[in-house]
């Protein structure tokens, strides 16, 4: 299987990190989102039993940000046949049973 991944070398230490939390720095356009999306897609494809939850303040904002970035990563890497994105509910399923879920936080005034 040929996977097209153009990873930014600056983020290589992040890929090897075993820490629970990782902070990625960089200005707008540095590739943080692209790199993170590609790495999560690869991990979801390789590791059964791994899921991803994307949370934003308002669930509706996931569609134009996290969801679209992850679907774009799947398309760029040529992995369309391994992932099934749906918009209702907002979810991306992997053929191995893993999923990416998108939720909003319930906040009270």
């Amino acid at each position: 299987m040929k996977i097209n991944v153009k990873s930014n070398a600056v983020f290589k230490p992040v890929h090897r990190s075993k820490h629970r939390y990782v902070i990625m720095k960089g200005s707008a356009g540095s590739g943080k989102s692209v790199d993170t999306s590609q790495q999560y897609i690869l991990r979801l494809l390789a590791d059964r039993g791994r899921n991803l939850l994307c949370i934003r303040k308002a669930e509706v904002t996931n569609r134009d940000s996290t969801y679209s970035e992850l679907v774009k990563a799947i398309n760029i890497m040529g992995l369309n046949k391994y992932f099934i994105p749906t918009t209702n509910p907002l979810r991306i399923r992997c053929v191995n049973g893993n999923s990416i879920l998108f939720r909003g936080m319930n906040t009270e005034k």
Side-chain angles (χ1 to χ4, degrees), residues 10-66:
V10 171
F11 300 122
K12 199 171 236 176
V14 173
H15 304 160
R16 291 184 291 224
S17 176
K18 300 292 183 199
H19 291 89
R20 183 173 185 163
Y21 300 105
V22 176
I23 299 172
M24 295 173 69
K25 293 183 189 178
S27 60
S30 66
K32 296 180 301 293
S33 296
V34 172
D35 187 79
T36 301
S37 297
Q38 290 180 348
Q39 292 305 312
Y40 271 116
I41 293 301
L42 292 174
R43 287 174 129 177
L44 287 167
L45 189 58
D47 302 337
R48 287 191 68 127
R50 179 184 291 270
N51 295 299
L52 175 63
L53 176 62
C54 296
I55 301 174
R56 291 188 54 103
K57 184 174 181 181
E59 183 174 355
V60 75
T61 61
N62 267 320
R63 186 178 319 275
D64 296 331
S65 61
T66 52

Side-chain angles (χ1 to χ4, degrees), residues 57 104-109:
K57 184 174 181 181
M105 295 184 57
N106 294 328
T107 59
E108 296 182 26
K109 292 183 180 185

Side-chain angles (χ1 to χ4, degrees), residues 51-86:
N51 295 299
L52 175 63
L53 176 62
C54 296
I55 301 174
R56 291 188 54 103
K57 184 174 181 181
E59 183 174 355
V60 75
T61 61
N62 267 320
R63 186 178 319 275
D64 296 331
S65 61
T66 52
Y67 178 82
S68 64
E69 191 69 49
L70 287 159
V71 169
K72 186 167 78 173
I74 291 166
N75 293 332
I76 288 170
M77 292 190 292
L79 299 173
N80 308 59
K81 64 183 178 181
Y82 301 105
F83 291 92
I84 304 151
T86 59

